[in-house]
Amino acid sequence: MAYDNQNIFAKILREEIPCIKVYEDELTLAFMDIMPQADGHTLVIPKVEAETLFELPATHYEACFTTMQKVGNALKKAFSTEGIMMFQLSGSDAGQTVPHLHFHLVPTSIHTLRTRKHAAEMADQAVLQGFAERIIAALD
Ligand code: 5GP
């Protein structure tokens, strides 16, 4: 299927709508999920028109994983956990709701942190901003 350049993450990349950014480089952007499944839930997206993992050009493989590692390490520090749940839904049959490739990074601990339902409840923007500041401060 053709890439829909009106999807919400394409608009975020074009800065037509805002996001709470935690990290950006030439090939990737990381920002807070507005309906987080746990505190600190962050999304990493490539700056390329790719709907699912299967359209991601090889030029962006390394950048995506480097950014996931960088942000994941910051999440571990900022939320005092060794556990980061990472997932990626490719295709609406898999439950993908935004048709621009994104990787979910969710701080998790089976002992203390509980995860909430997927894309279910909008978080307070000020609270998300506070989490973003903690993550940015923990970036190497
Ligand atoms: P998917 O279901 O496609 O794997 O995940 C889409 C994610 O994007 C969900 O976790 C949802 O909460 C998040 N999301 C949906 N719309 C927006 C938005 O406008 N801004 C941000 N920051 N996250 C969004």
Side-chain angles (χ1 to χ4, degrees):
M1 205 167 64
Y3 178 83
D4 169 16
N5 68 6
Q6 292 308 306
N7 77 74
I8 204 95
F9 293 170
K11 290 182 180 178
I12 285 176
L13 282 175
R14 293 195 297 267
E15 298 184 343
E16 291 168 10
I17 64 162
C19 71
I20 300 178
K21 191 188 297 184
V22 298
Y23 176 77
E24 181 170 24
D25 59 28
E26 202 188 329
L27 299 179
T28 63
L29 172 69
F31 56 97
M32 305 308 293
D33 193 300
I34 50 165
M35 291 174 270
Q37 290 185 238
D39 293 354
H41 184 165
T42 303
L43 301 171
V44 172
I45 68 174
K47 293 182 177 177
V48 67
E49 293 191 351
E51 180 172 338
T52 77
L53 188 64
F54 305 102
E55 288 85 42
L56 183 67
T59 46
H60 288 64
Y61 292 176
E62 188 177 339
C64 286
F65 276 84
T66 302
T67 300
M68 282 194 278
Q69 225 173 41
K70 191 177 183 74
V71 172
N73 275 322
L75 292 175
K76 290 203 280 183
K77 276 194 217 159
F79 293 90
S80 305
T81 179
E82 281 302 307
I84 304 295
M85 178 171 71
M86 295 187 200
F87 64 97
Q88 196 289 305
L89 306 177
S90 268
S92 54
D93 277 358
Q96 181 177 6
T97 55
V98 178
H100 181 105
L101 173 62
H102 48 282
F103 300 92
H104 296 261
L105 272 68
V106 185
T108 314
S109 164
I110 54 168
H111 307 295
T112 51
L113 302 175
R114 300 212 176 279
T115 53
R116 301 183 277 269
K117 280 175 90 173
H118 182 66
E121 204 179 313
M122 202 73 114
D124 183 286
Q125 292 290 297
V127 171
L128 289 185
Q129 187 64 52
F131 290 151
E133 284 162 20
R134 269 165 65 181
I135 298 165
I136 291 165
L139 283 169
D140 285 331

